């Protein structure tokens, strides 16, 4: 089975990203394919490499990145939502005249079309949000 | 169809909207704060039991345990883990989230 | 075959956007609309469903000057130009809020909850906002 995952909330405030991660991990461990994880709304905040949670707490961002590393997952941050919320890669940052970028290297920034394409290409789209 | 509900019925109407739009034979999975709907003896128990006469209701065990309500679940609600959630998503032709 | 269709491998799926949240208080309504507008280029079979507080997205008379946000309600009227023409509003949601079809900014089809239930069953992909 080919899954697409949509994450609509950022880390820590809502459980959505945690549940999406556990679902994605379980699907991959069962041998299913995950075509793409698309981060939208405040979900784009899952892509910042600057997160520093307390040592006894989970690192939501690094956990996604590790899963992506292990299974070659495509983690996509919506560009329109990211621009609003100050999530940027080096190119975006330069283009918009900003002095820094903050995206984790395992994530990439792309357009909303990637969400639609994920809906078309996958057998199931599963949405996690608030 | 698999429906997911992640809101406490005591706070939001997501569960009731889900019930109003779930066709006979659907699966309804309670996750995150949605698992509070699984508590036996609440003001929502009768509505949940009524939904169980036409749909199958599941709840994520990890979310129940985290919230200390795993021992108070309405008889007949089936407990699943994340792998079980994946299986449910496979068994049904699509997944609708009631956020 | 158009280029947009090539992107999706020529597949046409039934996409349904469920809108359950009011505008302005949260960003979901606006960003949902942005997905619909971008998604239109993929030439899929798109339906928009408005239930619960989602019906407030398309009420007439919105004036956002006082909150310094963009009033995006007129955009729903432009959806037709993007070939997004299937807008469904739940009768029960309207009635519960003291609204009727005349209060809406755009032409819609009013449906009962039971009819929307059947409509959802026909879909391939359901996006919830």
């Amino acid at each position: 089975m080919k899954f697409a995952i949509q994450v609509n909330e950022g880390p820590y405030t809502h459980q959505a990203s945690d549940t999406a991660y556990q679902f994605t991990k379980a699907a991959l461990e069962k041998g299913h394919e995950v075509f793409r994880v698309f981060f939208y709304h405040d979900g784009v905040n899952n892509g910042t490499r600057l997160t520093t949670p307390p040592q006894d707490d989970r690192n939501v961002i690094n956990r996604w990145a590790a899963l992506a590393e292990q299974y070659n997952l495509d983690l996509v941050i919506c560009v329109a939502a990211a621009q609003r919320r100050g999530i940027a890669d080096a190119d975006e940052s330069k283009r918009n005249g900003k002095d820094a970028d903050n995206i984790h290297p395992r994530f990439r920034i792309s357009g909303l079309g990637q969400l639609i394409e994920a809906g078309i290409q996958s057998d199931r789209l599963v949405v996690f949000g608030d | 169809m698999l429906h997911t509900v992640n809101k406490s019925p005591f706070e939001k109407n997501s569960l009731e909207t889900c019930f109003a739009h779930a066709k006979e034979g659907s699966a309804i999975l309670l996750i995150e704060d949605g698992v509070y709907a699984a508590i036996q003896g609440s003001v929502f128990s009768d509505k949940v039991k009524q939904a169980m006469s036409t749909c199958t209701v599941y709840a994520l065990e990890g979310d129940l345990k985290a919230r200390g309500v795993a021992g108070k679940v309405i008889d007949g609600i089936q407990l699943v883990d994340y792998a079980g959630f994946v299986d449910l998503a496979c068994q049904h032709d699509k997944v609708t989230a009631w956020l | 075959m158009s280029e947009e269709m090539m992107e999706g491998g020529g597949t046409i799926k039934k996409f349904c956007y469920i809108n359950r949240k009011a505008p302005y208080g949260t960003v979901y309504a606006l960003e949902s609309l942005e997905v619909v507008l971008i998604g239109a280029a993929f030439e899929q079979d798109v339906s928009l469903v408005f239930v619960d507080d989602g019906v407030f997205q398309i009420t007439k008379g919105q004036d956002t000057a006082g909150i310094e946000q963009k009033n995006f309600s007129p955009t729903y009227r432009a959806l037709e130009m993007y070939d997004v023409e299937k807008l469904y509003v739940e009768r029960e949601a309207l009635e519960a809020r003291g609204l009727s079809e005349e209060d809406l900014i755009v032409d819609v089809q009013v449906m009962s909850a039971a009819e929307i239930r059947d409509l959802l069953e026909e879909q391939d992909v359901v996006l919830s906002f």
Side-chain angles (χ1 to χ4, degrees):
Chain A
M1 189 72 63
K2 199 191 284 185
F3 285 102
I5 309 293
Q6 183 182 338
V7 182
N8 287 344
E9 296 300 332
Y12 304 107
T13 303
H14 295 96
Q15 200 185 340
S17 182
D18 292 274
T19 308
Y21 168 81
Q22 298 295 351
F23 180 93
T24 304
K25 183 165 168 274
L28 292 166
E29 284 170 354
K30 285 173 103 36
H32 297 296
E33 182 185 341
V34 176
F35 179 76
R36 178 170 295 145
V37 183
F38 190 85
F39 297 88
Y40 196 44
H41 302 306
D42 279 0
V44 298
N45 291 313
N46 286 286
T48 170
R49 68 171 185 273
L50 303 182
T51 302
T52 317
Q55 284 199 343
D56 60 352
D57 198 357
R58 71 221 186 277
N59 187 318
V60 174
I61 285 77
N62 287 355
R63 204 169 54 173
W64 274 117
L67 199 65
E69 190 69 40
Q70 189 181 349
Y71 291 96
N72 198 25
L73 256 185
D74 189 18
L75 304 178
V76 177
I77 302 285
C78 169
V79 63
Q83 283 173 337
R84 283 196 178 106
R85 294 161 177 88
I87 300 290
D89 58 18
D91 286 348
E92 272 294 309
S93 178
K94 198 175 169 189
R95 187 163 38 243
N96 296 311
K98 305 296 178 185
D99 62 355
D101 67 85
N102 55 358
I103 195 173
H104 190 288
R106 282 301 320 188
F107 292 75
R108 66 186 180 95
I109 292 182
S110 191
L112 271 172
Q114 299 269 305
L115 171 62
I116 306 299
E117 189 204 13
I120 295 170
Q121 295 294 338
S122 61
D123 303 306
R124 303 280 187 279
L125 172 73
V126 189
V127 182
F128 298 90
D130 182 53
Chain B
M1 190 181 336
L2 171 65
H3 302 264
T4 64
V5 178
N6 73 337
K7 289 294 173 306
S8 165
F10 306 101
E11 189 198 2
K12 297 265 173 66
N13 70 343
S14 306
L15 181 75
E16 290 185 80
T17 300
C18 170
F19 285 165
H21 298 93
K23 214 173 171 67
E24 202 176 319
S26 299
I28 299 167
L29 172 63
L30 307 172
I31 66 172
E32 302 172 0
D33 286 350
V35 300
Y36 287 121
I39 298 175
Q40 172 68 276
S42 86
V43 293
F44 286 100
S45 305
D46 285 344
K47 278 185 179 162
V48 174
K49 286 176 191 165
Q50 200 187 330
M52 288 166 69
S53 65
T54 56
C55 299
T56 314
V57 177
Y58 302 83
L60 254 184
E61 195 170 14
D63 281 324
L64 285 165
K65 284 183 172 169
R67 290 161 177 79
V69 294
K72 302 174 181 174
V73 175
I74 295 167
D75 280 345
I77 290 184
Q78 301 185 35
L79 307 191
V80 294
D81 58 10
Y82 291 105
F85 184 176
V86 172
D87 290 340
L88 285 172
C90 291
Q91 289 155 16
H92 297 271
D93 67 334
K94 57 189 160 278
V95 185
T96 298
W98 300 94
L99 304 171
Chain C
M1 193 183 287
S2 73
E3 210 174 292
E4 287 80 14
M5 286 174 78
M6 295 281 285
E7 279 184 72
T11 320
I12 294 184
K13 284 191 173 181
K14 289 188 172 208
F15 272 70
C16 180
Y17 297 84
I18 301 185
N19 296 291
R20 293 184 51 233
K21 287 166 183 166
Y24 312 120
T26 58
V27 79
Y28 302 105
L30 172 63
E31 289 191 332
S32 164
L33 189 56
E34 289 180 350
V35 181
V36 174
L37 294 172
I38 297 289
F42 286 77
E43 298 182 4
Q44 301 293 301
D45 182 354
V46 174
S47 300
L48 269 62
V49 170
F50 298 87
V51 296
D52 291 329
D53 280 352
V55 301
F56 288 128
Q57 294 177 19
I58 48 171
T59 50
K60 284 178 188 164
Q62 297 178 30
D63 175 0
T64 56
I67 60 168
E68 295 190 3
Q69 286 194 35
K70 188 169 68 179
N71 175 3
F72 56 93
S73 61
T75 309
Y76 294 98
R77 282 200 299 236
L79 287 174
E80 209 177 352
M81 295 189 301
Y82 292 81
D83 292 323
V84 176
E85 292 170 333
K86 297 177 181 174
L87 276 62
Y88 304 103
V89 177
E90 188 182 278
R91 182 174 298 117
E92 287 86 338
L94 283 177
E95 286 172 358
R97 288 159 184 79
L99 299 171
S100 70
E101 209 174 333
E102 286 72 55
D103 296 306
L104 305 180
I105 196 168
V106 67
D107 286 336
V108 298
Q109 191 175 339
V110 177
M111 280 186 164
S112 68
E115 287 170 315
I116 286 179
R117 184 172 61 205
D118 293 338
L119 180 83
L120 292 179
E121 287 294 328
E122 296 168 8
Q123 304 301 314
D124 295 312
V125 184
V126 182
L127 294 107
S128 315
F129 291 98

